[in-house]
Amino acid sequence: LAVKDPTAVERANLLNMAKLSIKGLIESALSFGRTLDSDYPPLQQFFVVMEHCLKHGLKVRKSFLSYNKTIWGPLELVEKLYPEAEEIAASVRDLPGLKTPLGRARAWLRLALMQKKMADYLRCLIIQRDLLSEFYEYHALMMEEEGAVIVGLLVGLNVIDANLCVKGEDLDSQVGVIDFSVYLKSDDDIGGKERNVQIAAILDQKNYVEELNRQLNSTVSSLHARVDSLEKSNTKLIEELAIAKNNIIKLQEENHQLRSENTLILMKTQHHLEATKVDVEAELQTYKHSRQGLDEMYTEARRQLREEAQLRQDMENELVVQVSMKHEIELAMKLLEKDIHEKQDTLIGLRQQLDEVKAINVEMYQKLQVSEDAMKEKNEIISRLEDKTNQINATMKQLEQRLQKAEKAQMDAEAEDEKLKEEYVNKSESLQNEFSQKEKQLLQLETDLKIEKEWRQTLEDDLQKEKETVSHLRTETQEIVNLKKEFLKLQEKNKQLKSICEDQEAALQELASKLSESKLKIEDIKEANKALQGQVWLKDKEATHCKLCEKEFSLSKRKHHCRNCGEIFCNACSDNELPLPSSPKPVRVCDSCHAILIQRCSSTVP
């Protein structure tokens, strides 16, 4: 016989025990006929079996004090994998009586059974075997196929309704021992097969009802999602309606603005016509004044011609009247031509404005078509807008008709002017033959008037030139004043720069003098060094007296040795000090060679 794997035998035993405990729990619960309490023995045995199944193959974890081996670690992972398990984990952690991880795991199993989601939670754990490998060995029940079978068996526990009080129980100190006497068969069990068949039918019905409830819950959730989507679409449609209403209001405001602009244009044209009438009246008055001057000239000519016959005087009067009429007609023609040109300009401007209004109306009509496609319920508002646009077109047509009438009136006036011209030409031809001599005199007078006008024009041109020169001179004077101000500013800047330059030059001179002095001293020191290169330092034992004062050296009179000449002085005689840039204090210098002295103790050797 082949030797079986002990771990496989353990898994098979635990699977069989789980089958027996789950089957016995379901049968006893259905025969019991009401919700189960925590004191119900089959339920307690079921939790013990589940503990043994979950503990199988657990890895031992080291802690600070001892080794730890609990099932709370893998169960705590469920809340990360299944978000609905967060409530169970939080409530288990908040329970006051639980102190050990095993007690928390037992409370978690009881709460999961009451929620009827133990199978779902453990299925999430079995799927994530990579995470379970941190807590279980590779041969553990939860890592093999037996764990999936147990999870499938746990689905049947959804038939049971349990009401367990977790808060008051002492889950930390319970001892989990399996009572096998509950699962051994007896003679009474053989006679209860019919009961089992009935219980199985009841279980099937209950499972069917629960599946229907789940399907209904799923349909309700889908209907809720549809309702939310419909509410969102309704809100979007309401927003689009509000946007369309705002667009319609804007279009109405644009229509009002266009109407107001049309009224303003009509008012401007009326004011312009009134202004032209005033100008015409002013020109007529000036013409009358000039006519008075000409009448005076004519009276003087008449005084000269009083000797002529009365018939000639009558003809002259008629000629004067006709000439004045001719001038008036010419001026009237010029004024009419000006009015015609101005009216043509206004007509061109009005036509351009009409084209712009038509283009705007076309754009408005396109926008209204788009709004019709988007919102069919607003057709009445759009029809009102179209009626308003038709009214605007009708008013524009009326304006065009008025313009056409004005053009016809202009054509009639031109025809009348041509007729008057023809009559005047016929009369003038008949009179020119008779009064050619008088025309010569009039020509002379006109030439005199032209000369006077030219003289006036020359005077006006001279005045304009003088004004231009005066303005030019004023601008030049302003430029000169500005240049003076800039010149003064530049002078001040120049003075400041000169003062700065003088200061810098003085500083440079000082630096140059100091440099020259330092160069001279350096040259003197170099010459002294050259002169004393062949000398040798005295030994420290031989130098007992100062060279200058000839006194013995002591603690108060220290030795100062010259680097170049080798002579030794006391600190009282070597008073010459020289400041150096590299040292903060002045340095003692030799009297003979001006070299730096070194303070020596009796033990030092040169």
Side-chain angles (χ1 to χ4, degrees):
L1 293 171
V3 178
K4 291 185 179 181
D5 188 5
T7 56
V9 173
E10 289 177 359
R11 289 198 299 273
N13 290 331
L14 289 170
L15 178 61
N16 291 323
M17 284 305 301
K19 286 179 181 178
L20 290 171
S21 64
I22 291 166
K23 184 178 179 182
L25 179 62
I26 292 167
E27 290 175 356
S28 61
L30 291 174
S31 63
F32 190 61
R34 61 175 183 271
T35 57
L36 304 178
D37 296 330
S38 58
D39 296 332
Y40 193 60
L43 186 61
Q44 291 178 355
Q45 288 297 313
F46 166 73
F47 286 127
V48 172
V49 171
M50 284 304 299
E51 283 181 21
H52 282 283
C53 291
L54 290 170
K55 284 180 181 178
H56 184 262
L58 263 177
K59 289 182 180 179
V60 178
R61 288 196 168 191
K62 291 181 180 181
S63 63
F64 290 105
L65 299 174
S66 63
Y67 293 97
N68 191 6
K69 188 176 179 181
T70 58
I71 60 174
W72 174 240
L75 293 178
E76 200 173 7
L77 281 174
V78 177
E79 60 178 341
K80 296 179 181 178
L81 302 173
Y82 202 82
E84 293 182 2
E86 291 178 357
E87 295 180 0
I88 295 175
S91 60
V92 168
R93 290 191 191 96
D94 294 335
L95 284 172
L98 299 177
K99 296 179 182 179
T100 60
L102 183 61
R104 294 190 188 95
R106 288 169 178 171
W108 188 91
L109 290 171
R110 282 158 175 75
L111 291 173
L113 181 66
M114 282 193 286
Q115 282 190 347
K116 296 183 180 180
K117 288 185 179 181
M118 186 185 289
D120 297 330
Y121 295 155
L122 294 177
R123 187 176 68 247
C124 293
L125 271 177
I126 290 165
I127 291 167
Q128 300 293 330
R129 289 187 179 179
D130 296 332
L131 297 173
L132 281 177
S133 62
E134 296 178 1
F135 299 96
Y136 289 101
E137 300 289 343
Y138 67 94
H139 57 79
L141 185 139
M142 295 297 289
M143 298 290 287
E144 296 293 337
E145 293 180 355
E146 287 84 353
V149 174
I150 290 170
V151 170
L153 293 171
L154 290 173
V155 176
L157 294 175
N158 295 330
V159 179
I160 298 169
D161 294 327
N163 187 7
L164 307 175
C165 184
V166 182
K167 191 173 181 180
E169 290 187 5
D170 187 8
L171 299 175
D172 295 327
S173 61
Q174 285 183 1
V175 179
V177 179
I178 300 171
D179 187 7
F180 290 100
S181 63
V182 178
Y183 306 109
L184 295 173
K185 289 185 179 180
S186 61
D187 296 332
D188 295 330
D189 294 331
I190 296 166
K193 290 183 180 179
E194 293 178 356
R195 290 182 182 177
N196 292 329
V197 172
Q198 292 176 359
I199 288 164
I202 292 165
L203 286 172
D204 292 333
Q205 290 177 0
K206 193 170 184 180
N207 289 324
Y208 177 71
V209 171
E210 286 181 353
E211 287 178 357
L212 282 175
N213 286 325
R214 287 181 182 178
Q215 290 178 359
L216 289 171
N217 288 323
S218 63
T219 53
V220 166
S221 62
S222 64
L223 289 170
H224 280 299
R226 287 181 184 177
V227 167
D228 293 330
S229 63
L230 290 171
E231 286 178 354
K232 289 178 181 178
S233 62
N234 286 324
T235 53
K236 288 181 180 178
L237 291 170
I238 290 163
E239 289 177 355
E240 289 177 355
L241 281 170
I243 292 163
K245 286 180 181 179
N246 292 323
N247 290 324
I248 290 161
I249 291 163
K250 288 179 180 177
L251 292 171
Q252 288 179 356
E253 289 177 354
E254 288 179 357
N255 283 321
H256 289 299
Q257 288 179 359
L258 291 169
R259 286 180 182 177
S260 63
E261 287 178 357
N262 287 322
T263 53
L264 288 170
I265 290 162
L266 292 171
M267 293 293 288
K268 286 179 180 179
T269 51
Q270 289 178 0
H271 288 299
H272 187 68
L273 290 170
E274 289 176 357
T276 51
K277 286 179 181 178
V278 172
D279 294 331
V280 169
E281 289 177 356
E283 288 178 356
L284 286 171
Q285 288 178 359
T286 53
Y287 176 71
K288 287 178 181 179
H289 289 298
S290 63
R291 186 177 177 184
Q292 287 177 1
L294 292 171
D295 289 333
E296 289 177 356
M297 296 293 289
Y298 285 125
T299 52
E300 289 178 358
R302 285 175 185 175
R303 288 175 186 176
Q304 293 177 1
L305 296 172
R306 281 178 184 177
E307 295 176 354
E308 293 180 358
Q310 293 180 356
L311 293 172
R312 288 181 180 180
Q313 289 178 355
D314 295 329
M315 294 300 290
E316 283 176 359
N317 290 325
E318 289 178 358
L319 262 174
V320 171
V321 172
Q322 287 179 0
V323 169
S324 64
M325 289 293 289
K326 183 179 178 181
H327 285 295
E328 288 176 358
I329 288 164
E330 286 177 357
L331 289 169
M333 288 297 292
K334 289 179 181 178
L335 293 169
L336 287 169
E337 286 177 357
K338 287 181 181 178
D339 292 332
I340 287 161
H341 287 300
E342 289 175 355
K343 287 179 180 178
Q344 285 178 356
D345 293 330
T346 53
L347 286 168
I348 290 163
L350 289 169
R351 284 175 183 173
Q352 290 177 357
Q353 290 176 359
L354 284 168
D355 293 330
E356 290 176 355
V357 170
K358 285 179 181 178
I360 291 164
N361 286 324
V362 170
E363 291 178 358
M364 289 167 66
Y365 185 71
Q366 290 176 357
K367 290 178 181 178
L368 288 170
Q369 285 182 351
V370 172
S371 64
E372 282 178 355
D373 295 330
M375 300 299 295
K376 292 181 180 180
E377 294 178 358
K378 301 297 178 180
N379 287 322
E380 294 179 357
I381 297 166
I382 294 166
S383 63
R384 291 177 185 173
L385 290 170
E386 288 178 351
D387 293 331
K388 289 179 180 179
T389 52
N390 291 321
Q391 289 177 3
I392 291 164
N393 290 319
T395 54
M396 297 305 291
K397 287 179 181 179
Q398 289 178 2
L399 290 170
E400 288 179 354
Q401 289 176 1
R402 289 179 184 176
L403 291 170
Q404 289 176 0
K405 288 179 182 179
E407 289 177 355
K408 287 179 181 179
Q410 287 177 1
M411 295 294 288
D412 295 332
E414 288 176 356
E416 290 178 357
D417 291 333
E418 288 177 356
K419 287 179 181 179
L420 290 170
K421 282 181 182 179
E422 290 176 357
E423 290 177 357
Y424 177 70
V425 168
N426 293 321
K427 288 180 181 179
S428 62
E429 287 178 355
S430 63
L431 291 170
Q432 280 176 1
N433 293 322
E434 293 178 357
F435 300 103
S436 60
Q437 293 179 358
K438 301 294 181 181
E439 285 179 354
K440 290 179 181 180
Q441 292 178 358
L442 291 170
L443 288 169
Q444 289 177 357
L445 294 170
E446 287 177 355
T447 51
D448 294 331
L449 288 170
K450 285 180 181 178
I451 290 162
E452 288 179 357
K453 286 180 180 179
E454 288 176 356
W455 182 65
R456 286 179 182 176
Q457 286 179 357
T458 53
L459 289 171
E460 288 178 355
D461 292 332
D462 293 331
L463 285 169
Q464 288 179 356
K465 288 178 181 178
E466 288 177 356
K467 287 179 180 179
E468 289 177 355
T469 53
V470 169
S471 63
H472 184 68
L473 290 168
R474 285 179 181 173
T475 54
E476 287 180 352
T477 52
Q478 287 180 358
E479 289 177 355
I480 289 162
V481 171
N482 293 323
L483 289 169
K484 283 181 180 179
K485 290 179 180 179
E486 290 178 357
F487 181 71
L488 292 170
K489 289 179 181 178
L490 290 170
Q491 282 182 348
E492 289 178 357
K493 287 182 181 179
N494 193 3
K495 287 178 181 178
Q496 291 176 0
L497 292 170
K498 281 181 180 179
S499 64
I500 292 163
C501 288
E502 288 175 356
D503 294 333
Q504 289 177 355
E505 287 176 356
L508 289 169
Q509 287 177 359
E510 290 177 359
L511 288 170
S513 63
K514 288 180 180 179
L515 286 169
S516 62
E517 290 175 358
S518 63
K519 282 182 180 178
L520 291 170
K521 287 180 180 180
I522 289 163
E523 288 177 356
D524 294 335
I525 290 164
K526 285 180 179 178
E527 289 176 357
N529 288 328
K530 286 179 182 178
L532 298 170
Q533 278 179 358
Q535 295 182 2
V536 183
W537 284 21
L538 287 172
K539 291 183 180 180
D540 197 14
K541 292 179 180 180
E542 294 176 358
T544 57
H545 293 81
C546 179
K547 192 174 182 181
L548 293 176
C549 64
E550 294 182 357
K551 291 182 180 180
E552 290 184 1
F553 293 114
S554 63
L555 292 171
S556 61
K557 289 186 178 184
R558 293 183 298 277
K559 295 178 183 180
H560 290 277
H561 196 282
C562 181
R563 292 181 178 179
N564 294 322
C565 62
E567 293 179 354
I568 299 171
F569 304 96
C570 63
N571 57 356
C573 295
S574 58
D575 291 332
N576 294 325
E577 292 181 350
L578 180 67
L580 290 177
S582 61
S583 63
K585 295 180 180 181
V587 182
R588 296 180 183 273
V589 181
C590 182
D591 291 330
S592 59
C593 65
H594 298 286
I596 297 169
L597 296 176
I598 302 169
Q599 185 178 354
R600 294 171 59 187
C601 61
S602 61
S603 63
T604 55
V605 179

